[in-house]
Amino acid sequence: DGGITQSPKYLFRKEGQNVTLSCEQNLNHDAMYWYRQDPGQGLRLIYYSQIVNDFQKGDIAEGYSVSREKKESFPLTVTSAQKNPTAFYLCASSILTGNYGYTFGSGTRLTVV
Amino acid sequence: AQSVTQLGSHVSVSEGALVLLRCNYSSSVPPYLFWYVQYPNQGLQLLLKYTSAATLVKGINGFEAEFKKSETSFHLTKPSAHMSDAAEYFCAVSEGATDKLIFGTGTRLQVFP
């Protein structure tokens, strides 16, 4: 079945460490997105990519980095510069025409310990 | 810039009662509108979408939404709530050609027996 796979489901990070969240899709979608979700704040866009080897900052990109070396993969690195990384992270993908909406992964919950 | 407002961060209904979740948008062009549902610790799932074919849109799980241009609204309704409808619901509007979605802050629906 086609879909988006995020891993791991739960991730614990020590302060000062970088961690990478995985996002893989087999839907042949052109665009991929990373969102951060905090209680009461909805979804906030971190980064997005519409084509391989290109990506754009979203509303809250500071302290995060991404790469898009393959169409299927869009990993997110949470760096030590992110002051408050504890949150639920969602990856999504879409085609670029027709406005069919996004397909979401099941999310990764990151906790700083 | 396009935006979407969800009135009421929490809505409570009794099982069997009408569900009404409100969404208003702003857009300078005909919008594409979406409703998503999120169950705890999961990703978002598409409930329904408006893409100008019909103003009354039927989605999954008995939900429907009506596009009202004069009121710039796209409210989500369900005639009879079920316990399994308890979740968080997000309204989203498309930015058009880029297909990037703008999400509301979400409405948490509680259903009491």
Side-chain angles (χ1 to χ4, degrees):
Chain A
D1 287 340
I4 298 184
T5 301
Q6 288 188 243
S7 61
K9 180 74 172 175
Y10 298 94
L11 186 58
F12 297 89
R13 189 194 94 171
K14 292 182 179 179
E15 288 196 26
Q17 279 185 337
N18 293 353
V19 289
T20 297
L21 283 60
S22 171
C23 179
E24 304 274 337
Q25 55 99 356
N26 61 3
L27 299 166
N28 199 32
H29 284 175
D30 299 298
M32 298 186 74
Y33 312 83
W34 274 106
Y35 286 90
R36 171 178 171 143
Q37 188 175 23
D38 296 282
Q41 296 195 46
L43 278 69
R44 292 185 290 169
L45 183 63
I46 305 172
Y47 270 99
Y48 67 101
S49 168
Q50 295 183 327
I51 192 170
V52 173
N53 292 323
D54 186 51
F55 45 83
Q56 308 297 326
K57 291 182 179 180
D59 301 317
I60 56 164
E62 184 175 354
Y64 300 96
S65 66
V66 294
S67 63
R68 186 91 185 273
E69 298 177 0
K70 299 185 300 181
K71 188 176 183 177
E72 303 78 20
S73 179
F74 192 42
L76 174 74
T77 296
V78 184
T79 74
S80 56
Q82 170 50 236
K83 299 304 180 189
N84 184 22
T86 295
F88 191 55
Y89 291 87
L90 286 163
C91 181
S93 70
S94 72
I95 60 173
L96 280 177
T97 58
N99 288 298
Y100 292 104
Y102 294 175
T103 301
F104 282 85
S106 56
T108 292
R109 185 166 296 281
L110 173 63
T111 303
V112 174
V113 296
Chain B
Q2 299 192 348
S3 66
V4 61
T5 302
Q6 291 184 242
L7 295 176
S9 58
H10 289 83
V11 170
S12 297
V13 300
S14 298
E15 193 172 21
L18 171 72
V19 175
L20 171 61
L21 304 182
R22 299 178 186 274
C23 174
N24 288 88
Y25 68 91
S26 67
S27 174
S28 58
V29 298
Y32 291 86
L33 294 158
F34 304 82
W35 275 101
Y36 284 86
V37 61
Q38 184 183 33
Y39 299 101
N41 293 312
Q42 294 185 28
L44 277 67
Q45 178 184 1
L46 182 66
L47 269 180
L48 50 80
K49 60 187 177 189
Y50 167 75
T51 56
S52 77
T55 57
L56 182 62
V57 182
K58 294 186 183 299
I60 62 172
N61 302 339
F63 284 92
E64 61 182 36
E66 186 172 9
F67 173 68
K68 291 187 176 180
K69 184 178 179 180
S70 61
E71 299 177 5
T72 61
S73 69
F74 191 57
H75 302 330
L76 183 70
T77 60
K78 182 174 181 178
S80 176
H82 191 273
M83 296 295 290
S84 61
D85 294 326
E88 189 151 22
Y89 293 80
F90 291 92
C91 183
V93 62
S94 172
E95 282 195 333
T98 66
D99 206 35
K100 192 152 56 72
L101 295 187
I102 306 299
F103 288 88
T105 52
T107 297
R108 183 167 298 278
L109 175 66
Q110 287 185 304
V111 182
F112 294 101

